Short mmCIF file of all heavy atoms in Angstrom, two decimals:
data_model
loop_
_atom_site.label_atom_id
_atom_site.label_comp_id
_atom_site.label_asym_id
_atom_site.label_seq_id
_atom_site.Cartn_x
_atom_site.Cartn_y
_atom_site.Cartn_z
N MET A 21 -94.87 -197.44 124.90
CA MET A 21 -95.76 -197.17 126.03
C MET A 21 -96.19 -198.49 126.67
O MET A 21 -95.53 -199.04 127.48
CB MET A 21 -96.99 -196.38 125.57
CG MET A 21 -96.62 -195.08 124.85
SD MET A 21 -95.70 -193.96 125.92
CE MET A 21 -94.95 -192.91 124.70
N GLY A 22 -97.31 -199.02 126.27
CA GLY A 22 -97.80 -200.26 126.86
C GLY A 22 -97.06 -201.45 126.30
O GLY A 22 -96.23 -201.31 125.40
N PRO A 23 -97.36 -202.60 126.84
CA PRO A 23 -96.73 -203.82 126.32
C PRO A 23 -97.22 -204.11 124.91
O PRO A 23 -98.39 -203.96 124.61
CB PRO A 23 -97.19 -204.91 127.31
CG PRO A 23 -98.42 -204.36 127.94
CD PRO A 23 -98.26 -202.86 127.94
N SER A 24 -96.30 -204.48 124.04
CA SER A 24 -96.68 -204.71 122.66
C SER A 24 -96.66 -206.19 122.35
O SER A 24 -95.64 -206.73 121.98
CB SER A 24 -95.75 -203.94 121.72
OG SER A 24 -94.41 -204.26 122.04
N GLY A 25 -97.78 -206.83 122.55
CA GLY A 25 -97.89 -208.24 122.21
C GLY A 25 -97.22 -209.17 123.19
O GLY A 25 -97.23 -210.36 123.02
N GLY A 26 -96.64 -208.63 124.24
CA GLY A 26 -96.04 -209.46 125.26
C GLY A 26 -94.70 -210.03 124.85
O GLY A 26 -94.11 -210.81 125.57
N ARG A 27 -94.18 -209.62 123.70
CA ARG A 27 -92.89 -210.13 123.27
C ARG A 27 -91.79 -209.23 123.79
O ARG A 27 -91.66 -208.09 123.38
CB ARG A 27 -92.86 -210.21 121.74
CG ARG A 27 -91.69 -211.07 121.25
CD ARG A 27 -91.77 -211.23 119.74
NE ARG A 27 -91.88 -209.94 119.05
CZ ARG A 27 -91.56 -209.76 117.77
NH1 ARG A 27 -91.15 -210.77 117.08
NH2 ARG A 27 -91.69 -208.60 117.20
N LYS A 28 -91.01 -209.73 124.70
CA LYS A 28 -89.95 -208.94 125.33
C LYS A 28 -88.66 -209.10 124.57
O LYS A 28 -88.18 -210.19 124.36
CB LYS A 28 -89.77 -209.39 126.79
CG LYS A 28 -90.69 -208.67 127.75
CD LYS A 28 -89.86 -207.76 128.68
CE LYS A 28 -90.78 -206.85 129.48
NZ LYS A 28 -91.61 -207.64 130.40
N ILE A 29 -88.08 -207.99 124.21
CA ILE A 29 -86.77 -208.02 123.58
C ILE A 29 -85.76 -207.56 124.62
O ILE A 29 -85.97 -206.54 125.29
CB ILE A 29 -86.73 -207.09 122.36
CG1 ILE A 29 -87.87 -207.46 121.41
CG2 ILE A 29 -85.39 -207.21 121.64
CD1 ILE A 29 -88.06 -206.47 120.28
N VAL A 30 -84.71 -208.30 124.77
CA VAL A 30 -83.71 -208.01 125.79
C VAL A 30 -82.38 -207.68 125.14
O VAL A 30 -81.97 -208.32 124.17
CB VAL A 30 -83.55 -209.23 126.74
CG1 VAL A 30 -82.50 -208.95 127.80
CG2 VAL A 30 -84.88 -209.55 127.40
N CYS A 31 -81.71 -206.67 125.68
CA CYS A 31 -80.40 -206.31 125.17
C CYS A 31 -79.42 -207.46 125.41
O CYS A 31 -79.31 -207.96 126.52
CB CYS A 31 -79.90 -205.04 125.87
SG CYS A 31 -78.24 -204.55 125.35
N ALA A 32 -78.72 -207.85 124.36
CA ALA A 32 -77.81 -208.98 124.48
C ALA A 32 -76.64 -208.66 125.39
O ALA A 32 -76.02 -209.54 125.96
CB ALA A 32 -77.29 -209.37 123.09
N ARG A 33 -76.32 -207.40 125.50
CA ARG A 33 -75.17 -207.00 126.30
C ARG A 33 -75.55 -206.79 127.76
O ARG A 33 -74.88 -207.24 128.66
CB ARG A 33 -74.58 -205.71 125.73
CG ARG A 33 -73.11 -205.53 126.09
CD ARG A 33 -72.60 -204.16 125.65
NE ARG A 33 -72.87 -203.91 124.24
CZ ARG A 33 -72.64 -202.76 123.64
NH1 ARG A 33 -72.17 -201.74 124.34
NH2 ARG A 33 -72.89 -202.59 122.38
N CYS A 34 -76.65 -206.07 127.98
CA CYS A 34 -77.00 -205.66 129.34
C CYS A 34 -78.06 -206.55 129.98
O CYS A 34 -78.30 -206.47 131.18
CB CYS A 34 -77.51 -204.22 129.33
SG CYS A 34 -76.48 -203.08 128.40
N ARG A 35 -78.69 -207.39 129.18
CA ARG A 35 -79.77 -208.24 129.70
C ARG A 35 -80.91 -207.42 130.25
O ARG A 35 -81.60 -207.84 131.17
CB ARG A 35 -79.25 -209.18 130.80
CG ARG A 35 -78.01 -209.93 130.41
CD ARG A 35 -78.33 -211.09 129.49
NE ARG A 35 -77.12 -211.82 129.11
CZ ARG A 35 -77.08 -212.70 128.12
NH1 ARG A 35 -78.16 -212.95 127.43
NH2 ARG A 35 -75.97 -213.32 127.83
N LEU A 36 -81.11 -206.26 129.70
CA LEU A 36 -82.21 -205.42 130.14
C LEU A 36 -83.28 -205.39 129.05
O LEU A 36 -82.96 -205.41 127.87
CB LEU A 36 -81.73 -203.99 130.40
CG LEU A 36 -80.86 -203.81 131.65
CD1 LEU A 36 -80.31 -202.39 131.69
CD2 LEU A 36 -81.64 -204.10 132.90
N PRO A 37 -84.55 -205.36 129.47
CA PRO A 37 -85.62 -205.26 128.48
C PRO A 37 -85.56 -203.92 127.76
O PRO A 37 -85.34 -202.88 128.38
CB PRO A 37 -86.91 -205.38 129.31
CG PRO A 37 -86.50 -205.03 130.71
CD PRO A 37 -85.05 -205.43 130.84
N LEU A 38 -85.71 -203.97 126.45
CA LEU A 38 -85.63 -202.75 125.67
C LEU A 38 -86.94 -201.98 125.77
O LEU A 38 -88.01 -202.55 125.89
CB LEU A 38 -85.33 -203.08 124.21
CG LEU A 38 -84.09 -203.95 123.99
CD1 LEU A 38 -83.81 -204.06 122.50
CD2 LEU A 38 -82.88 -203.41 124.72
N ALA A 39 -86.83 -200.68 125.72
CA ALA A 39 -88.01 -199.82 125.77
C ALA A 39 -88.17 -199.11 124.43
O ALA A 39 -87.18 -198.73 123.80
CB ALA A 39 -87.85 -198.79 126.89
N ALA A 40 -89.42 -198.96 124.02
CA ALA A 40 -89.67 -198.28 122.75
C ALA A 40 -89.31 -196.82 122.86
O ALA A 40 -89.79 -196.10 123.72
CB ALA A 40 -91.15 -198.44 122.38
N VAL A 41 -88.41 -196.40 121.98
CA VAL A 41 -87.97 -195.01 121.97
C VAL A 41 -88.13 -194.46 120.56
O VAL A 41 -87.77 -195.12 119.59
CB VAL A 41 -86.49 -194.89 122.42
CG1 VAL A 41 -85.98 -193.47 122.23
CG2 VAL A 41 -86.35 -195.32 123.87
N ARG A 42 -88.67 -193.27 120.50
CA ARG A 42 -88.80 -192.64 119.19
C ARG A 42 -87.41 -192.32 118.65
O ARG A 42 -86.66 -191.59 119.27
CB ARG A 42 -89.65 -191.37 119.30
CG ARG A 42 -90.05 -190.80 117.97
CD ARG A 42 -91.15 -189.80 118.14
NE ARG A 42 -92.42 -190.46 118.45
CZ ARG A 42 -93.36 -190.71 117.54
NH1 ARG A 42 -93.18 -190.36 116.30
NH2 ARG A 42 -94.46 -191.30 117.88
N THR A 43 -87.09 -192.90 117.53
CA THR A 43 -85.74 -192.82 117.00
C THR A 43 -85.78 -192.25 115.60
O THR A 43 -86.64 -192.58 114.80
CB THR A 43 -85.12 -194.24 116.96
OG1 THR A 43 -85.17 -194.79 118.26
CG2 THR A 43 -83.69 -194.18 116.49
N LYS A 44 -84.83 -191.37 115.33
CA LYS A 44 -84.75 -190.82 113.98
C LYS A 44 -83.95 -191.75 113.09
O LYS A 44 -82.85 -192.17 113.44
CB LYS A 44 -84.08 -189.44 114.02
CG LYS A 44 -85.00 -188.37 114.54
CD LYS A 44 -84.28 -187.03 114.62
CE LYS A 44 -85.21 -185.97 115.19
NZ LYS A 44 -84.49 -184.74 115.56
N LEU A 45 -84.51 -192.06 111.95
CA LEU A 45 -83.85 -192.95 111.01
C LEU A 45 -83.58 -192.22 109.72
O LEU A 45 -84.31 -191.31 109.33
CB LEU A 45 -84.75 -194.16 110.73
CG LEU A 45 -85.24 -194.94 111.95
CD1 LEU A 45 -86.29 -195.94 111.53
CD2 LEU A 45 -84.09 -195.65 112.61
N THR A 46 -82.52 -192.64 109.06
CA THR A 46 -82.24 -192.10 107.74
C THR A 46 -82.16 -193.27 106.78
O THR A 46 -81.37 -194.19 106.98
CB THR A 46 -80.92 -191.32 107.73
OG1 THR A 46 -80.98 -190.28 108.69
CG2 THR A 46 -80.69 -190.70 106.36
N TYR A 47 -82.97 -193.25 105.77
CA TYR A 47 -82.95 -194.32 104.79
C TYR A 47 -82.96 -193.72 103.39
O TYR A 47 -83.91 -193.04 103.02
CB TYR A 47 -84.14 -195.25 105.00
CG TYR A 47 -84.22 -196.33 103.95
CD1 TYR A 47 -83.16 -197.22 103.78
CD2 TYR A 47 -85.34 -196.47 103.14
CE1 TYR A 47 -83.22 -198.20 102.82
CE2 TYR A 47 -85.42 -197.46 102.18
CZ TYR A 47 -84.34 -198.33 102.03
OH TYR A 47 -84.40 -199.31 101.08
N GLN A 48 -81.90 -193.97 102.66
CA GLN A 48 -81.76 -193.44 101.31
C GLN A 48 -82.02 -191.94 101.28
O GLN A 48 -82.73 -191.43 100.41
CB GLN A 48 -82.71 -194.18 100.36
CG GLN A 48 -82.31 -195.63 100.19
CD GLN A 48 -83.10 -196.33 99.10
OE1 GLN A 48 -84.14 -195.85 98.66
NE2 GLN A 48 -82.60 -197.47 98.66
N GLY A 49 -81.44 -191.27 102.26
CA GLY A 49 -81.52 -189.82 102.29
C GLY A 49 -82.83 -189.27 102.83
O GLY A 49 -83.02 -188.07 102.87
N VAL A 50 -83.72 -190.17 103.22
CA VAL A 50 -85.00 -189.73 103.75
C VAL A 50 -85.00 -189.89 105.26
O VAL A 50 -84.69 -190.97 105.77
CB VAL A 50 -86.16 -190.54 103.14
CG1 VAL A 50 -87.49 -190.08 103.71
CG2 VAL A 50 -86.14 -190.39 101.62
N ASN A 51 -85.32 -188.82 105.95
CA ASN A 51 -85.40 -188.88 107.39
C ASN A 51 -86.81 -189.20 107.83
O ASN A 51 -87.78 -188.66 107.32
CB ASN A 51 -84.99 -187.54 108.00
CG ASN A 51 -83.52 -187.25 107.75
OD1 ASN A 51 -82.66 -188.08 108.02
ND2 ASN A 51 -83.25 -186.09 107.21
N PHE A 52 -86.92 -190.10 108.77
CA PHE A 52 -88.22 -190.37 109.37
C PHE A 52 -88.01 -190.85 110.80
O PHE A 52 -86.90 -191.13 111.21
CB PHE A 52 -89.01 -191.39 108.55
CG PHE A 52 -88.35 -192.74 108.43
CD1 PHE A 52 -88.74 -193.77 109.26
CD2 PHE A 52 -87.36 -192.96 107.50
CE1 PHE A 52 -88.14 -195.02 109.16
CE2 PHE A 52 -86.75 -194.21 107.38
CZ PHE A 52 -87.15 -195.24 108.22
N GLU A 53 -89.10 -190.91 111.53
CA GLU A 53 -89.02 -191.36 112.91
C GLU A 53 -89.83 -192.63 113.09
O GLU A 53 -90.85 -192.81 112.46
CB GLU A 53 -89.56 -190.29 113.86
CG GLU A 53 -88.64 -189.09 113.98
CD GLU A 53 -89.12 -188.16 115.09
OE1 GLU A 53 -90.11 -188.48 115.77
OE2 GLU A 53 -88.50 -187.12 115.27
N ALA A 54 -89.31 -193.50 113.95
CA ALA A 54 -90.04 -194.70 114.27
C ALA A 54 -89.74 -195.06 115.72
O ALA A 54 -88.69 -194.71 116.24
CB ALA A 54 -89.61 -195.85 113.35
N GLU A 55 -90.69 -195.74 116.34
CA GLU A 55 -90.43 -196.20 117.69
C GLU A 55 -89.76 -197.56 117.61
O GLU A 55 -90.34 -198.53 117.15
CB GLU A 55 -91.74 -196.29 118.48
CG GLU A 55 -92.20 -194.94 118.96
CD GLU A 55 -93.22 -195.05 120.09
OE1 GLU A 55 -93.65 -196.16 120.41
OE2 GLU A 55 -93.57 -194.00 120.64
N LEU A 56 -88.51 -197.60 118.03
CA LEU A 56 -87.75 -198.84 118.00
C LEU A 56 -87.33 -199.21 119.41
O LEU A 56 -87.05 -198.34 120.23
CB LEU A 56 -86.51 -198.68 117.13
CG LEU A 56 -86.75 -198.43 115.64
CD1 LEU A 56 -85.42 -198.28 114.92
CD2 LEU A 56 -87.56 -199.57 115.03
N PRO A 57 -87.29 -200.51 119.68
CA PRO A 57 -86.83 -200.96 120.99
C PRO A 57 -85.38 -200.55 121.22
O PRO A 57 -84.51 -200.84 120.41
CB PRO A 57 -86.95 -202.49 120.90
CG PRO A 57 -87.90 -202.75 119.77
CD PRO A 57 -87.70 -201.61 118.81
N THR A 58 -85.14 -199.85 122.31
CA THR A 58 -83.81 -199.32 122.60
C THR A 58 -83.41 -199.69 124.02
O THR A 58 -84.21 -199.61 124.94
CB THR A 58 -83.82 -197.79 122.45
OG1 THR A 58 -84.27 -197.44 121.15
CG2 THR A 58 -82.43 -197.21 122.67
N CYS A 59 -82.17 -200.07 124.19
CA CYS A 59 -81.67 -200.42 125.52
C CYS A 59 -81.50 -199.15 126.35
O CYS A 59 -80.83 -198.21 125.91
CB CYS A 59 -80.34 -201.16 125.42
SG CYS A 59 -79.62 -201.52 127.03
N PRO A 60 -82.09 -199.10 127.54
CA PRO A 60 -81.97 -197.91 128.38
C PRO A 60 -80.56 -197.76 128.93
O PRO A 60 -80.19 -196.69 129.42
CB PRO A 60 -82.98 -198.16 129.50
CG PRO A 60 -83.14 -199.64 129.56
CD PRO A 60 -82.92 -200.14 128.15
N GLU A 61 -79.79 -198.82 128.88
CA GLU A 61 -78.44 -198.78 129.47
C GLU A 61 -77.39 -198.33 128.46
O GLU A 61 -76.67 -197.36 128.68
CB GLU A 61 -78.10 -200.17 130.01
CG GLU A 61 -76.77 -200.24 130.74
CD GLU A 61 -76.79 -199.52 132.07
OE1 GLU A 61 -77.89 -199.31 132.61
OE2 GLU A 61 -75.71 -199.14 132.56
N CYS A 62 -77.29 -199.04 127.34
CA CYS A 62 -76.20 -198.76 126.40
C CYS A 62 -76.69 -198.06 125.14
O CYS A 62 -75.89 -197.64 124.31
CB CYS A 62 -75.48 -200.05 126.03
SG CYS A 62 -76.47 -201.20 125.07
N GLY A 63 -78.02 -197.92 124.99
CA GLY A 63 -78.53 -197.20 123.84
C GLY A 63 -78.59 -198.03 122.57
O GLY A 63 -78.88 -197.52 121.49
N GLN A 64 -78.32 -199.32 122.69
CA GLN A 64 -78.39 -200.20 121.54
C GLN A 64 -79.81 -200.23 120.99
O GLN A 64 -80.76 -200.44 121.72
CB GLN A 64 -77.96 -201.62 121.96
CG GLN A 64 -78.10 -202.66 120.86
CD GLN A 64 -77.09 -202.48 119.75
OE1 GLN A 64 -75.93 -202.25 119.99
NE2 GLN A 64 -77.55 -202.55 118.53
N VAL A 65 -79.94 -200.00 119.70
CA VAL A 65 -81.26 -200.01 119.07
C VAL A 65 -81.46 -201.33 118.37
O VAL A 65 -80.61 -201.80 117.63
CB VAL A 65 -81.39 -198.86 118.05
CG1 VAL A 65 -82.73 -198.94 117.33
CG2 VAL A 65 -81.24 -197.52 118.76
N PHE A 66 -82.60 -201.96 118.65
CA PHE A 66 -82.93 -203.19 117.99
C PHE A 66 -83.73 -202.90 116.73
O PHE A 66 -84.79 -202.28 116.78
CB PHE A 66 -83.76 -204.09 118.93
CG PHE A 66 -84.23 -205.35 118.27
CD1 PHE A 66 -83.39 -206.45 118.18
CD2 PHE A 66 -85.50 -205.44 117.75
CE1 PHE A 66 -83.83 -207.62 117.57
CE2 PHE A 66 -85.94 -206.61 117.13
CZ PHE A 66 -85.10 -207.69 117.04
N VAL A 67 -83.21 -203.31 115.59
CA VAL A 67 -83.92 -203.10 114.33
C VAL A 67 -84.73 -204.36 114.03
O VAL A 67 -84.16 -205.44 113.90
CB VAL A 67 -82.93 -202.82 113.19
CG1 VAL A 67 -83.68 -202.62 111.88
CG2 VAL A 67 -82.10 -201.59 113.51
N PRO A 68 -86.04 -204.20 113.95
CA PRO A 68 -86.90 -205.36 113.70
C PRO A 68 -86.54 -206.05 112.39
O PRO A 68 -86.02 -205.42 111.46
CB PRO A 68 -88.30 -204.73 113.61
CG PRO A 68 -88.20 -203.43 114.33
CD PRO A 68 -86.78 -202.97 114.14
N GLU A 69 -86.82 -207.35 112.34
CA GLU A 69 -86.48 -208.14 111.16
C GLU A 69 -87.09 -207.57 109.90
O GLU A 69 -86.51 -207.62 108.83
CB GLU A 69 -86.98 -209.57 111.34
CG GLU A 69 -86.01 -210.44 112.11
CD GLU A 69 -86.41 -211.90 112.08
OE1 GLU A 69 -87.35 -212.25 111.35
OE2 GLU A 69 -85.79 -212.69 112.80
N GLU A 70 -88.29 -207.03 110.04
CA GLU A 70 -88.97 -206.48 108.87
C GLU A 70 -88.11 -205.39 108.21
O GLU A 70 -88.07 -205.26 107.00
CB GLU A 70 -90.33 -205.89 109.24
CG GLU A 70 -91.23 -206.85 110.00
CD GLU A 70 -91.03 -206.75 111.50
OE1 GLU A 70 -91.46 -205.75 112.08
OE2 GLU A 70 -90.42 -207.66 112.08
N LEU A 71 -87.43 -204.63 109.07
CA LEU A 71 -86.56 -203.59 108.53
C LEU A 71 -85.23 -204.17 108.08
O LEU A 71 -84.73 -203.88 107.01
CB LEU A 71 -86.31 -202.51 109.60
CG LEU A 71 -87.52 -201.68 110.01
CD1 LEU A 71 -87.10 -200.62 111.02
CD2 LEU A 71 -88.16 -201.01 108.82
N ALA A 72 -84.67 -205.05 108.94
CA ALA A 72 -83.33 -205.56 108.67
C ALA A 72 -83.29 -206.45 107.44
O ALA A 72 -82.31 -206.47 106.71
CB ALA A 72 -82.82 -206.33 109.89
N LEU A 73 -84.36 -207.20 107.21
CA LEU A 73 -84.38 -208.13 106.09
C LEU A 73 -84.75 -207.46 104.79
O LEU A 73 -84.58 -208.02 103.72
CB LEU A 73 -85.37 -209.27 106.37
CG LEU A 73 -84.97 -210.20 107.52
CD1 LEU A 73 -86.02 -211.29 107.69
CD2 LEU A 73 -83.62 -210.83 107.27
N GLY A 74 -85.27 -206.25 104.89
CA GLY A 74 -85.63 -205.52 103.69
C GLY A 74 -84.41 -204.91 103.04
O GLY A 74 -83.29 -205.38 103.20
N LYS A 75 -84.64 -203.85 102.35
CA LYS A 75 -83.53 -203.19 101.66
C LYS A 75 -82.94 -202.10 102.52
O LYS A 75 -82.43 -201.12 102.04
CB LYS A 75 -84.04 -202.62 100.35
CG LYS A 75 -85.51 -202.28 100.44
CD LYS A 75 -86.20 -202.32 99.11
CE LYS A 75 -87.68 -202.12 99.15
NZ LYS A 75 -88.47 -202.25 100.25
N MET A 76 -83.05 -202.29 103.83
CA MET A 76 -82.64 -201.23 104.73
C MET A 76 -81.28 -201.51 105.35
O MET A 76 -80.98 -201.07 106.44
CB MET A 76 -83.68 -201.05 105.83
CG MET A 76 -85.05 -200.75 105.26
SD MET A 76 -86.19 -200.10 106.48
CE MET A 76 -85.59 -198.44 106.68
N HIS A 77 -80.43 -202.25 104.64
CA HIS A 77 -79.13 -202.57 105.21
C HIS A 77 -78.25 -201.33 105.31
O HIS A 77 -77.23 -201.35 105.97
CB HIS A 77 -78.45 -203.66 104.38
CG HIS A 77 -78.36 -203.35 102.92
ND1 HIS A 77 -79.41 -203.62 102.07
CD2 HIS A 77 -77.39 -202.80 102.18
CE1 HIS A 77 -79.05 -203.23 100.84
NE2 HIS A 77 -77.85 -202.72 100.88
N GLU A 78 -78.64 -200.27 104.62
CA GLU A 78 -77.86 -199.04 104.72
C GLU A 78 -78.45 -198.09 105.75
O GLU A 78 -78.11 -196.92 105.80
CB GLU A 78 -77.80 -198.36 103.35
CG GLU A 78 -77.29 -199.31 102.29
CD GLU A 78 -76.21 -198.67 101.43
OE1 GLU A 78 -75.89 -197.50 101.70
OE2 GLU A 78 -75.71 -199.34 100.53
N LEU A 79 -79.34 -198.65 106.51
CA LEU A 79 -80.03 -197.85 107.52
C LEU A 79 -79.04 -197.22 108.50
O LEU A 79 -78.16 -197.87 109.01
CB LEU A 79 -81.00 -198.75 108.28
CG LEU A 79 -81.88 -198.09 109.31
CD1 LEU A 79 -82.99 -197.31 108.63
CD2 LEU A 79 -82.49 -199.15 110.21
N GLU A 80 -79.23 -195.97 108.69
CA GLU A 80 -78.43 -195.30 109.70
C GLU A 80 -79.35 -194.89 110.84
O GLU A 80 -80.36 -194.25 110.62
CB GLU A 80 -77.76 -194.05 109.13
CG GLU A 80 -76.68 -194.39 108.12
CD GLU A 80 -76.12 -193.11 107.51
OE1 GLU A 80 -76.27 -192.05 108.11
OE2 GLU A 80 -75.56 -193.22 106.41
N VAL A 81 -78.95 -195.28 111.99
CA VAL A 81 -79.78 -194.97 113.14
C VAL A 81 -79.12 -193.88 113.97
O VAL A 81 -77.95 -193.97 114.31
CB VAL A 81 -79.98 -196.22 114.02
CG1 VAL A 81 -80.78 -195.88 115.28
CG2 VAL A 81 -80.68 -197.31 113.22
N THR A 82 -79.86 -192.86 114.20
CA THR A 82 -79.34 -191.77 114.99
C THR A 82 -80.23 -191.58 116.22
O THR A 82 -81.41 -191.34 116.09
CB THR A 82 -79.33 -190.46 114.18
OG1 THR A 82 -78.64 -190.70 112.96
CG2 THR A 82 -78.64 -189.36 114.96
N LEU A 83 -79.63 -191.70 117.34
CA LEU A 83 -80.41 -191.50 118.55
C LEU A 83 -80.77 -190.03 118.71
O LEU A 83 -80.00 -189.14 118.39
CB LEU A 83 -79.61 -191.97 119.77
CG LEU A 83 -79.35 -193.47 119.80
CD1 LEU A 83 -78.59 -193.83 121.07
CD2 LEU A 83 -80.63 -194.27 119.74
N GLU A 84 -81.95 -189.84 119.22
CA GLU A 84 -82.49 -188.50 119.28
C GLU A 84 -81.73 -187.61 120.27
O GLU A 84 -81.61 -186.41 120.08
CB GLU A 84 -83.97 -188.55 119.68
CG GLU A 84 -84.75 -187.39 119.17
CD GLU A 84 -86.23 -187.63 119.33
OE1 GLU A 84 -86.62 -188.64 119.93
OE2 GLU A 84 -87.00 -186.79 118.86
N ASP A 85 -81.20 -188.24 121.29
CA ASP A 85 -80.54 -187.44 122.34
C ASP A 85 -79.09 -187.15 122.02
O ASP A 85 -78.27 -186.97 122.89
CB ASP A 85 -80.68 -188.15 123.69
CG ASP A 85 -80.00 -189.50 123.68
OD1 ASP A 85 -79.55 -189.93 122.60
OD2 ASP A 85 -79.92 -190.13 124.74
N LYS A 86 -78.75 -187.14 120.75
CA LYS A 86 -77.38 -186.91 120.37
C LYS A 86 -77.06 -185.43 120.23
O LYS A 86 -77.93 -184.69 119.83
CB LYS A 86 -77.11 -187.60 119.03
CG LYS A 86 -75.62 -187.66 118.68
CD LYS A 86 -75.45 -188.50 117.44
CE LYS A 86 -74.60 -187.78 116.42
NZ LYS A 86 -74.60 -188.41 115.12
ZN1 ZN B 13 -77.71 -202.63 126.53
#
C-alpha cells in the first residue's frame, strides 16, 4: 500500500519499481501468504534477504493469479 521505509526495489529486468502483492508461499509443506515486492510487468517476485538467507531455499512461490 503505502511506501515502506522509502526503500525502492526495482525489477532487474524491467527497471520498474516493484509493488507489494499478497503472494501465496509454500514452505516445508506449509502454505501461508505474505506481501512480497512483485514486478507488475513480468511478475518476478523479490524474496527479501531475511527469507532468502534463512532456511527457505526450498521456498516455492506461487502467484495468486495463477
Ligand atoms: Zn519485471
Side-chain angles (χ1 to χ4, degrees):
M21 304 299 160
S24 53
R27 195 175 53 159
K28 273 248 170 66
I29 306 171
V30 179
C31 177
R33 204 187 307 174
C34 312
R35 309 283 180 194
L36 289 173
L38 306 187
V41 172
R42 191 165 287 262
T43 304
K44 284 178 182 168
L45 306 170
T46 303
Y47 176 58
Q48 293 189 344
V50 179
N51 294 309
F52 61 99
E53 288 189 2
E55 282 198 353
L56 295 179
T58 304
C59 176
E61 184 70 20
C62 67
Q64 175 70 45
V65 176
F66 176 83
V67 179
E69 276 189 8
E70 306 90 73
L71 293 183
L73 293 181
K75 28 206 175 343
M76 303 195 74
H77 53 276
E78 306 228 0
L79 184 75
E80 291 176 20
V81 177
T82 307
L83 294 182
E84 207 168 6
D85 62 353
K86 192 173 130 191

